[in-house]
């Protein structure tokens, strides 16, 4: 399988999240994912959440990687993998935000939108990743309120692609 990998170094400043989103949008277009596709919006939201978590919760610089897997067989569109590596050894913690909370939904969104996600130690820090299968039904993010969003859709994940890039110590698989 051929994989195209691009990466961006992100500074420990919350303003870097916007720069990461703009950079990611341009790379998605370069990989053949149109800016107006629901898949692009889903990936940008996932990137935004993972980069925000790394910058806000660790206060450390991070590296954003996007990996675009090519289709192995005709009729499939491959997988997009997003990784954010930071230098904090503290594992990610999924929180469950109450209705009016202004934070704590990041990993819940990742869990709901990605086909698979997980994390693993990397050097002195960690890498958190998620994958979206390009041929799978896309989750639609429907604005409900300017601050609160509702997630609806169908998760689709090919079991054969679960370990397409590399194994991880923690894997969440959406079937």
């Amino acid at each position: 399988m051929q994989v195209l990998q691009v990466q961006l170094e992100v500074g420990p400043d919350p303003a870097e999240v916007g720069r990461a989103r703009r950079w990611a949008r341009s790379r998605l277009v370069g990989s053949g994912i149109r800016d107006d596709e629901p898949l692009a919006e889903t990936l940008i939201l996932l990137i935004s959440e993972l980069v925000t978590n790394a910058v806000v919760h660790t206060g450390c610089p991070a590296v954003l990687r996007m990996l675009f897997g090519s289709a192995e067989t005709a009729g499939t569109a491959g997988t997009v993998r997003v990784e954010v590596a930071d230098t904090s050894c503290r594992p990610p913690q999924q929180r469950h935000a109450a209705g009016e909370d202004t934070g704590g939904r990041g990993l819940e969104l990742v869990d709901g939108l990605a086909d698979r996600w997980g994390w693993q130690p990397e050097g002195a820090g960690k890498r958190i990743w998620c994958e979206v299968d390009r041929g799978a039904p896309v989750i639609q993010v429907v604005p409900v309120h300017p601050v609160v969003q509702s997630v609806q859709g169908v998760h689709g994940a090919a079991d054969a692609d679960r370990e397409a890039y590399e194994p991880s110590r923690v894997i969440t698989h959406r079937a």
Side-chain angles (χ1 to χ4, degrees):
M1 165 193 288
Q2 284 188 319
V3 176
L4 169 65
Q5 177 179 326
V6 293
Q7 73 178 36
L8 173 71
E9 292 184 17
V10 180
D13 178 355
E16 289 282 275
V17 177
R19 185 173 74 89
R21 279 193 299 265
R22 288 187 300 277
W23 175 86
R25 274 194 193 283
S26 70
R27 296 320 178 269
L28 290 173
V29 169
S31 76
I33 300 172
R34 291 187 332 267
D35 195 37
D36 61 347
E37 286 185 57
L39 176 60
E41 291 304 317
T42 298
L43 288 164
I44 293 301
L45 180 56
L46 290 167
I47 288 164
S48 185
E49 293 301 329
L50 294 181
V51 171
T52 297
N53 283 350
V55 170
V56 171
H57 295 295
T58 71
C60 301
V63 175
L64 166 62
R65 293 183 194 105
M66 294 172 40
L67 297 91
F68 301 92
S70 65
E72 290 183 346
T73 59
T76 61
T79 297
V80 179
R81 181 178 174 110
V82 173
E83 301 178 349
V84 176
D86 62 54
T87 56
S88 170
C89 63
R90 212 173 68 199
Q93 287 192 308
Q94 189 170 352
R95 299 180 347 204
H96 300 285
E100 298 298 318
D101 291 350
T102 58
R105 291 179 177 83
L107 289 179
E108 283 185 286
L109 282 170
V110 171
D111 187 51
L113 293 172
D115 292 306
R116 292 165 297 282
W117 74 276
W119 74 278
Q120 62 199 73
E122 181 173 278
K126 68 181 168 304
R127 175 182 8 177
I128 186 164
W129 58 268
C130 64
E131 295 178 340
V132 176
D133 298 326
R134 290 172 82 169
V138 176
I139 305 298
Q140 297 291 321
V141 178
V142 180
V144 174
H145 181 274
V147 176
V148 180
Q149 302 244 328
S150 171
V151 178
Q152 61 186 16
V154 178
H155 295 281
D159 289 338
D161 290 338
R162 182 178 296 148
E163 301 293 330
Y165 294 100
E166 61 188 306
S168 174
R169 292 184 182 202
V170 177
I171 295 175
T172 299
H173 176 74
R174 304 297 288 186

